[in-house]
Amino acid sequence: MSKTVSDDTPLVGANSPFFRIIREGLDGLADGEDFYDLLAEDVVFEYVITVPGYPRRVEGRQGIIDLYRDYGESMQLHGADNLRVHRDPETSVVVLEYEVHGTSVPTGQPYDNRFVSVVTIQDRKVMHWRDYLDPLAVFDAQGWPQGGHP
């Protein structure tokens, strides 16, 4: 499969902290040279806990590519750690707990967030991704509303 993004793509390129921690969590279960390559063409993403203006559901690999295309204009990630992996081989579900660290581009504020991603694998590709994050971490980094979180 050909690569779908360059290695320097801010969020999901082959060298990004996000892709490295996801690849580690899905090691031996899903194949791909970058984050998008891990995804089935008809993948479904659900953002259960999210922030205003972010979609609740995105369908298809191209939809995810389009969603994250401009991520580097709002956040620059420089690290990801504290990975915990919970696998259920009978249902092909993997629960990933991890943290990402970076900087908000517009404000220069630090960005540190925790995630829980519930990932369903089929035929060595991600078929479904359900994501939970700490929205207050985004609010603080982006200065929402003015002067801090609500």
Side-chain angles (χ1 to χ4, degrees):
M1 180 175 289
S2 63
K3 295 177 86 172
T4 54
V5 295
S6 67
D7 284 349
D8 61 352
T9 300
L11 178 64
V12 293
N15 289 326
S16 76
F18 176 78
F19 175 64
R20 286 193 307 267
I21 202 148
I22 297 305
R23 181 177 53 208
E24 182 181 341
L26 299 180
D27 185 43
L29 301 174
D31 297 324
E33 293 182 42
D34 66 35
F35 178 72
Y36 300 117
D37 284 339
L38 295 172
L39 308 179
E41 286 290 333
D42 58 348
V43 67
V44 173
F45 271 62
E46 293 181 284
Y47 299 94
V48 179
I49 299 176
T50 188
V51 296
Y54 215 73
R56 293 298 228 169
R57 180 181 173 95
V58 176
E59 295 184 18
R61 180 190 298 158
Q62 189 60 51
I64 296 301
I65 292 170
D66 293 345
L67 177 65
Y68 291 142
R69 178 171 281 126
D70 299 327
Y71 187 85
E73 294 176 14
S74 62
M75 296 287 187
Q76 288 290 319
L77 298 183
H78 55 73
D81 55 22
N82 292 321
L83 176 66
R84 292 172 191 86
V85 180
H86 313 278
R87 296 181 180 179
D88 184 349
E90 291 182 23
T91 62
S92 300
V93 172
V94 180
V95 177
L96 305 175
E97 297 179 70
Y98 54 96
E99 298 176 20
V100 299
H101 312 285
T103 304
S104 166
V105 173
T107 67
Q109 292 295 320
Y111 174 61
D112 297 289
N113 208 333
R114 296 180 296 166
F115 291 81
V116 174
S117 299
V118 181
V119 182
T120 303
I121 308 290
Q122 184 177 29
D123 298 325
R124 302 195 62 76
K125 294 294 177 188
V126 173
M127 292 299 298
H128 191 263
W129 187 288
R130 195 168 56 243
D131 216 33
Y132 302 81
L133 62 77
D134 176 2
L136 295 181
V138 177
F139 295 162
D140 288 345
Q142 299 290 51
W144 299 341
Q146 192 71 10
H149 50 76

